[in-house]
Amino acid sequence: MDDEYFMQLALAQAKLAQGLGEVPVGAVVVHQGKVVAAAHNAPISSSDPTAHAEVLALRSAAKHLDNYRLEDCTLYVTLEPCAMCAGAVLNARLHRLVWGASEPKTGAAGSVLDVFANTQLNHHTQHSGGVLATQASQLMQDFFKNQRVLHKHHASTTLREDALRTPEACFADIPDYPWQPHYLSDLPSLNGLRLHYLDEGPKDAAVTWLCLHGNPAWSYLYRKMIPVFLAAGHRVVAPDMPGFGKSDKPKKDRAHSFDWHRQVLLEFVETLDLQHIHMVVQDWGGILGLTLPMAAPQRYQGLLVMNTTLATAQQPLSTGFLAWRQMCADKPLFDVGRLLGRGNPHMSEAECAAYNVPFPDTGHRAALRAFPPMVPEFEHSDGVVVSRQAQAFWQHEWTGKSFMAVGAQDPVLGLEVMQALREHIRHCPEPMVLPQAGHFVQEHGEVIAQAALKALGSDTL
């Protein structure tokens, strides 16, 4: 019988741990060629943080041999011991230690630190690793993959106490929004909040259109553009920012900040591993979105920019924006659908009503209250530094194609603001101006999407 034989026994113990929902680590202690103890991880089931497989096996072996010193014994364990277990091995005066897979995060036999290499200690245990490492490592990978799936399901159905979630039934009858919901809740910055997004078209498409909405809209705003992009054979991804649409809504206004929302978007792009991105931005979708490509420029190849700005605080906020901000403060329960309809008289009552659906009461409207005063206004404002860095990126480093569309009736981010922005986007051509369109220019989205396909060289029809 050799090391692999005894490691197989340790792996059997690890599988027992896995079946009990414990991290799959198993151990056996061998004395004079015979197994005298076997154990597996049990911290969860025993509510004991020290109940690692190695410690439990050493305890059992010492009791079996009636001796706390195990000088003639070998410990086989499927995973490189942590500092606690390495200390237990030395305290037991163990003759030899054999482990399977290395542990790059907590391993104390050479991966993170090497307890056994300390010459000041009065006992030195022979040790070696890598025995059936592939099998041991696969067991760990399978376990944690399953745990992530379980956690994701739990998080996607569990609502944080400090957040609200618009019931799915509220969205049942909205027009022209047939796409299936997708959810993420494992982004570090979300901390358990659930983020909704649309993800349509082939994952390996030549182009991915990343559509970012602003305030007080949600992904419904892109319903007229999405079919055009899909018809071209492309992929479309459209998230609802936290606080909007089908995403969870923090109850407190102070939960929202420029840096937090930007970090959510950065992690979202990384988690979905989006490539060949044509970014589509408007309003806050641009204030935040235009700061993203410089963090990973290799992911982005095109820009469709509409009625937005870079919040560099280099110019005073416009009179139009100041009036908008004051209106939001004076009328915190303003009718979102009516706001959209006033600038887009061609919208139906049902379409206008769809914009109100995510916000059934004041508790669901924290983002709508928080975003207007969140626009960076002064040198020290949250977001100014990164916005200025982004401005330099677009002006000097951007190598992709750009297309600009402007709703001329926008009193806040209209043609004058957009022409100023265009000067800072390298090789951006003159904008497509829609004379009858207002701030929410996506309500004229079909013609814009068709023009963008041609302008960005991605029209495959």
Side-chain angles (χ1 to χ4, degrees):
M1 293 182 288
D2 57 10
D3 288 346
E4 288 194 2
Y5 171 81
F6 292 115
M7 189 61 73
Q8 287 284 9
L9 299 179
L11 284 168
Q13 288 292 316
K15 291 175 183 177
L16 291 176
Q18 183 181 36
L20 296 172
E22 302 276 0
V23 176
V25 180
V28 296
V29 177
V30 177
H31 177 251
Q32 296 179 353
K34 295 182 179 181
V35 175
V36 294
H40 56 71
N41 266 14
I44 298 172
S45 57
S46 64
S47 300
D48 180 359
T50 71
H52 289 199
E54 302 95 307
V55 171
L56 296 179
L58 292 175
R59 288 175 181 169
S60 180
K63 186 174 182 180
H64 177 83
L65 297 173
D66 197 24
N67 192 343
Y68 74 96
R69 292 190 171 181
L70 305 174
E71 296 172 324
D72 295 329
C73 295
T74 298
L75 172 66
Y76 293 87
V77 60
T78 57
L79 188 68
E80 180 184 357
C82 65
M84 177 186 72
C85 294
V89 165
L90 292 172
N91 283 329
R93 304 294 195 274
L94 205 71
H95 171 65
R96 184 168 174 250
L97 166 70
V98 181
W99 73 88
S102 297
E103 171 49 277
K105 294 183 178 179
T106 61
S111 290
V112 177
L113 70 156
D114 192 347
V115 172
F116 303 102
N118 192 326
T119 57
Q120 294 179 294
L121 297 175
N122 62 355
H123 176 77
H124 299 284
T125 296
Q126 297 178 27
H127 60 285
S128 59
V131 178
L132 301 184
T134 300
Q135 293 176 238
S137 179
Q138 189 63 52
L139 200 61
M140 294 288 287
Q141 291 174 16
D142 292 345
F143 174 79
F144 284 109
K145 181 179 180 180
N146 185 59
Q147 289 296 108
R148 286 191 294 271
V149 171
L150 292 174
H151 172 75
K152 185 175 182 180
H153 174 73
H154 176 75
S156 68
T157 56
T158 301
L159 179 64
R160 273 177 27 179
E161 291 184 358
D162 60 348
L164 297 169
R165 181 177 298 165
T166 308
E168 185 66 29
C170 294
F171 299 91
D173 297 322
I174 62 174
D176 302 323
Y177 194 79
W179 304 291
Q180 291 299 308
H182 297 264
Y183 295 101
L184 275 177
S185 53
D186 55 353
L187 302 184
S189 58
L190 289 177
N191 196 26
L193 291 173
R194 191 176 76 168
L195 183 81
H196 168 260
Y197 65 100
L198 301 178
D199 191 348
E200 297 292 324
K203 299 293 188 292
D204 59 349
V207 172
T208 294
W209 297 86
L210 175 60
C211 301
L212 303 179
H213 70 82
N215 174 48
W218 55 293
S219 55
Y220 185 70
L221 186 64
Y222 285 101
R223 72 194 180 284
K224 296 185 178 182
M225 303 179 78
I226 291 172
V228 178
F229 297 145
L230 292 179
H234 298 164
R235 180 183 184 185
V236 181
V237 175
D240 290 335
M241 288 192 290
F244 298 90
K246 295 185 177 184
S247 291
D248 284 352
K249 300 167 180 66
K251 296 177 182 178
K252 302 294 185 181
D253 297 15
R254 64 174 179 269
H256 299 277
S257 71
F258 187 108
D259 286 343
W260 178 57
H261 278 276
R262 178 175 186 262
Q263 186 62 31
V264 170
L265 290 173
L266 286 170
E267 292 173 8
F268 177 78
V269 171
E270 289 290 326
T271 298
L272 294 189
D273 193 24
L274 301 181
Q275 304 288 342
H276 314 300
I277 297 173
H278 283 183
M279 189 169 65
V280 187
V281 298
Q282 180 263 349
D283 191 80
W284 267 98
I287 294 174
L288 292 165
L290 289 172
T291 71
L292 303 182
M294 64 180 180
Q298 74 283 359
R299 294 184 181 274
Y300 297 83
Q301 64 185 32
L303 171 69
L304 167 51
V305 57
M306 303 168 288
N307 294 69
T308 189
T309 190
L310 272 166
T312 60
Q314 292 167 322
Q315 300 293 333
L317 296 176
S318 69
T319 302
F321 175 79
L322 293 176
W324 157 253
R325 187 170 67 182
Q326 189 62 47
M327 188 282 291
C328 292
D330 293 343
K331 301 178 179 179
L333 295 178
F334 69 90
D335 189 309
V336 178
R338 184 179 178 184
L339 173 72
L340 269 288
R342 188 164 61 239
N344 299 283
H346 61 283
M347 289 174 59
S348 69
E349 289 187 10
E351 287 176 314
C352 291
Y355 283 102
N356 283 320
V357 165
F359 315 110
D361 56 42
T362 185
H364 289 74
R365 297 173 70 100
L368 275 58
R369 296 189 296 269
F371 267 66
M374 211 166 78
V375 173
E377 184 174 6
F378 306 107
E379 291 266 341
H380 61 273
S381 296
D382 185 20
V384 166
V385 171
V386 72
S387 295
R388 292 182 178 182
Q389 292 171 346
Q391 184 181 72
F393 167 83
W394 288 104
Q395 189 165 10
H396 302 295
E397 301 178 41
W398 172 242
T399 59
K401 293 184 177 182
S402 303
F403 180 71
M404 179 176 284
V406 183
Q409 299 300 314
D410 185 352
V412 179
L413 297 170
L415 186 58
E416 182 180 352
V417 173
M418 292 298 285
Q419 286 286 21
L421 175 63
R422 189 180 71 83
E423 293 178 2
H424 293 287
I425 301 176
R426 191 177 180 207
H427 303 314
C428 183
E430 287 289 333
M432 173 186 183
V433 180
L434 288 84
Q436 302 306 315
H439 179 69
F440 299 98
V441 69
Q442 294 98 318
E443 287 299 330
H444 302 260
E446 184 176 357
V447 64
I448 298 174
Q450 290 170 344
L453 282 171
K454 296 176 181 178
L456 299 179
S458 54
D459 186 0
T460 59
L461 292 175

